[in-house]
Amino acid sequence: MLRIGITGGIGSGKTTVCKIFETLQIPIYYADDRAKWLMVNSPTLQNGILQLFGEKAYTSEGSLNRAHIGSIAFSSPAKLQKLNALVHPAVFVDGENWQQEQLALGAPYTLKEAALIYETGSYKTLDKVIVVTAPEGLRIDRVIKRDGLTAIEVKDRIARQLPEAEKVEKADFVIQNDGTHSLIKQVLSIHQELLALLEDD
């Protein structure tokens, strides 16, 4: 079984691409979603977050106060680094357990969808990486509509991620999500290449 990563900058459309892979019966580990789940359901992680961000890190119902954490983490690189140092190892262990489950189920390959595959070094545990790209203006528009952020806030978050050109340079496969290239055709092409790699083994 191949381990494939899929990444791209904020607003590039990783999730949209993943939904196409799902129609091909490919199991997908959504690292960012699992991170959010673990931050609420892992006592160890919860304690660490409370120490970093205080009691306001969680609402009275026990859910994550994303606005509170985000406003502090994105204005303090040191706090963001500490948060990542708590969350990424927990997600890595969770992802490894998930991989073992998929292996037992006989999937030809799995996809790990994460924004920070290169930044966290998790690409080293993967066989190939797909990078989803889109023009910056389009990415900014998508995130404004999706998250209700201002253009300045989106640009700030883009600036904190590895430049898209560097991700493309490191990628094994690139998917252009610019509204002019067919996503389905690009996904099917990569799917066939990955299956061919398995046959070669």
Side-chain angles (χ1 to χ4, degrees):
M1 184 179 77
L2 291 172
R3 295 176 173 213
I4 311 300
I6 182 161
T7 192
I10 186 170
S12 59
K14 299 182 295 296
T15 306
T16 304
V17 171
C18 285
K19 296 298 176 193
I20 301 171
F21 275 103
E22 280 182 354
T23 66
L24 300 170
Q25 309 301 309
I26 300 304
I28 299 171
Y29 181 82
Y30 291 96
D32 298 344
D33 289 345
R34 284 301 290 176
K36 287 168 196 160
W37 186 87
L38 289 165
M39 287 162 88
V40 173
N41 292 278
S42 161
T44 310
L45 206 46
Q46 270 185 317
N47 289 336
I49 289 164
L50 284 166
Q51 284 176 13
L52 258 183
F53 299 100
E55 294 297 322
K56 284 187 180 176
Y58 293 89
T59 66
S60 54
E61 294 85 34
S63 59
L64 200 65
N65 186 344
R66 291 178 64 194
H68 173 73
I69 291 171
S71 66
I72 296 172
F74 283 106
S75 60
S76 167
K79 281 270 172 87
L80 181 60
Q81 197 172 2
K82 285 178 182 175
L83 177 63
N84 287 338
L86 285 173
V87 176
H88 293 314
V91 174
F92 179 78
V93 172
D94 185 66
E96 286 300 297
N97 293 336
W98 178 85
Q99 285 285 356
Q100 292 308 311
E101 291 168 14
Q102 301 311 315
L103 186 62
L105 293 170
Y109 65 90
T110 59
L111 279 182
K112 178 183 181 180
E113 186 266 351
L116 305 176
I117 278 177
Y118 291 116
E119 292 89 334
T120 61
S122 67
Y123 70 94
K124 293 171 188 171
T125 65
L126 301 165
D127 296 302
K128 301 284 180 187
V129 176
I130 301 164
V131 170
V132 183
T133 73
E136 189 169 297
L138 193 54
R139 290 167 60 197
I140 291 167
D141 288 345
R142 285 174 185 160
V143 181
I144 289 170
K145 284 174 188 163
R146 185 187 72 195
D147 298 343
L149 299 174
T150 66
I152 291 168
E153 286 172 322
V154 181
K155 284 178 182 175
D156 185 48
R157 294 189 183 190
I158 287 173
R160 290 176 190 276
Q161 294 184 338
L162 191 70
E164 194 174 71
E166 282 188 48
K167 288 180 180 171
V168 168
E169 200 174 300
K170 294 173 186 285
D172 297 290
F173 302 99
V174 176
I175 290 178
Q176 294 182 37
N177 185 17
D178 54 8
T180 59
H181 295 79
S182 165
L183 286 181
I184 293 172
K185 281 183 182 173
Q186 292 178 83
V187 167
L188 285 173
S189 173
I190 292 169
H191 179 65
Q192 294 302 329
E193 283 193 58
L194 292 173
L195 293 180
L197 283 175
L198 284 165
E199 286 170 11
D200 290 343
D201 288 348

